[in-house]
Amino acid sequence: MNWAPVNMRWPEQSTAWMDQMNDAKEMAGANLLSTAQRLSSLDGLATTDPSAIGGIVKDVVANGRAALDAQFSESPKCLVVTPFQSGVGQGTGYQRFLSAPGVLQRLAEKLDDGTDAARPDGEQYALVLLFLGTNFGLLASVLSKFNALLPIADLQRAERRARNLVQLEAEKWQIPISGMQPAWSELPLQSCTVVKTATQSFNGQLAMMESYAADSSPLSDLAELAQRKAQQSVDQDEKLSALKELLSGGTDEPTMQARLIGPGDTSELRKQLLEGDNAPGHEWVQSAGVILVGSLQGLSFVRELVGL
């Protein structure tokens, strides 16, 4: 056979077996329609009566919704400074540096930037967070701890870049090892896009037909659904309890520093930001920072999160 140009198309002969499922799908669809009619005939025969508990639960839900809305109704303004931002860090190429005092200076400059239309105004408070490191590896580790609880897009990008730079530095001297000669292996047919799409569709159709073939009743299905909902509630409570236990009894993290300043306008906040005797020094050559500006109510969640 001579060479011929490649023409990507659907493998009709290899997937002809899928057409054999059409009759079964049509019968299943007809059965589904009759099942819906039978279920509609049960309307009014099986109901739930929440009784007095329903009113109590409604009040609790309303109070919970109101508390949740009040907690997150005043989101503070957020500004992130990292060594990798354009015009922020010092150095050339991908080797960028920014010490802790430089972070504070950059944050102060943004507070005093009158050309920024998004700059907060009015009497407010500010929560300042510093992430301190002496190298890219330490900076990535510190940022990962914070991003695990409160991910911020700019901090996540800085974490990934710092981690990738560490990996690049470690692997740039490694020479990849390739096979000495061609070797036979199995064709990874399952990685083919056509095969994966067809497999997903086929598995979905099989699952649908298995559900039709299963001998069940609406009442048993509803009982199973209620059990799953109860188990989901238990699982969510366990996750929340595990998170609370993880955060309880934490130790101070010297590579993360937090400070609350205010109240005042941006000029006053800038002045208070640059004041202080115990600010981290230039020994932290790889640092990043975040300033959150808002009301005490808006900052309360993050304040508790960082232990202030």
Side-chain angles (χ1 to χ4, degrees), residues 2 17 31 47 50 61-62 67 84 102 113 132 138 140 143 146 158 160 164 184 191 203 213 227 246 249 261 286-287:
N2 297 327
W17 51 270
N31 184 66
T47 60
V61 170
F84 310 114
D113 186 6
L132 310 174
L138 181 56
L143 291 177
F146 185 80
R160 289 194 297 268
N164 290 337
W184 289 100
S191 62
N203 288 334
Q227 293 178 357
L246 179 64
I261 57 177
Q286 290 290 358
S287 302

Side-chain angles (χ1 to χ4, degrees), residues 42-306:
L42 296 176
D43 186 20
L45 298 180
T47 60
T48 59
D49 183 12
S51 64
I53 299 179
I56 299 176
V57 171
K58 288 181 180 179
D59 294 338
V60 173
V61 170
N63 294 334
R65 291 290 184 187
L68 188 63
D69 293 339
Q71 178 67 58
F72 300 104
S73 60
E74 303 180 21
S75 297
K77 290 288 188 71
C78 176
L79 178 69
V80 177
V81 169
T82 69
F84 310 114
Q85 293 170 334
S86 177
V88 175
Q90 300 175 348
T92 58
Y94 61 82
Q95 294 291 344
R96 311 292 294 180
F97 307 93
L98 185 62
S99 62
V103 173
L104 294 178
Q105 185 62 40
R106 293 293 184 178
L107 293 174
E109 291 175 358
K110 291 299 294 182
L111 283 174
D112 205 28
D113 186 6
T115 62
D116 192 347
R119 185 183 62 160
D121 55 0
E123 292 281 327
Q124 301 192 70
Y125 290 82
L127 178 62
V128 186
L129 301 172
L130 291 180
F131 308 97
L132 310 174
T134 55
N135 52 64
F136 289 131
L138 181 56
L139 178 61
S141 176
V142 174
L143 291 177
S144 66
K145 295 177 182 178
F146 185 80
N147 286 329
L149 294 178
L150 184 59
I152 301 177
D154 287 334
L155 290 182
Q156 289 178 311
R157 282 190 287 267
E159 176 194 346
R160 289 194 297 268
R161 179 160 182 176
R163 197 175 301 281
N164 290 337
L165 288 174
V166 173
Q167 184 178 2
L168 175 63
E169 187 67 23
E171 296 181 354
K172 68 180 181 180
W173 303 111
Q174 298 179 6
I175 301 178
I177 300 176
S178 59
M180 298 301 295
Q181 58 184 358
W184 289 100
S185 63
E186 296 290 337
L187 175 66
L189 192 59
Q190 295 295 333
S191 62
C192 175
T193 305
V194 175
V195 175
K196 288 193 294 185
T197 304
T199 302
Q200 292 174 357
S201 176
F202 180 60
N203 288 334
Q205 293 175 1
L206 284 180
M208 179 179 63
M209 292 185 179
E210 288 174 351
S211 66
Y212 292 145
D215 186 11
S216 62
S217 66
L219 293 180
S220 63
D221 292 341
L222 291 175
E224 184 180 354
L225 177 61
Q227 293 178 357
R228 288 202 302 266
K229 292 177 65 176
Q231 185 61 41
Q232 288 177 356
S233 178
V234 173
D235 294 340
Q236 293 295 332
D237 291 340
E238 290 179 352
K239 290 181 180 179
L240 184 59
S241 299
L243 181 59
K244 289 181 179 179
E245 183 178 357
L246 179 64
L247 295 177
S248 63
T251 58
D252 293 340
E253 182 62 53
T255 55
M256 290 188 197
Q257 299 290 322
R259 181 187 178 193
L260 180 67
I261 57 177
D265 56 10
T266 53
S267 298
E268 178 63 24
L269 294 178
R270 178 185 183 278
K271 178 182 177 182
Q272 296 183 22
L273 177 62
L274 296 177
E275 292 176 348
D277 299 330
N278 61 341
H282 290 283
E283 66 273 13
W284 303 102
V285 294
Q286 290 290 358
S287 302
V290 175
I291 184 170
L292 307 176
V293 179
S295 63
L296 285 178
Q297 174 65 25
L299 296 172
S300 60
F301 179 81
V302 184
R303 285 179 58 194
E304 289 193 61
L305 186 64
V306 299

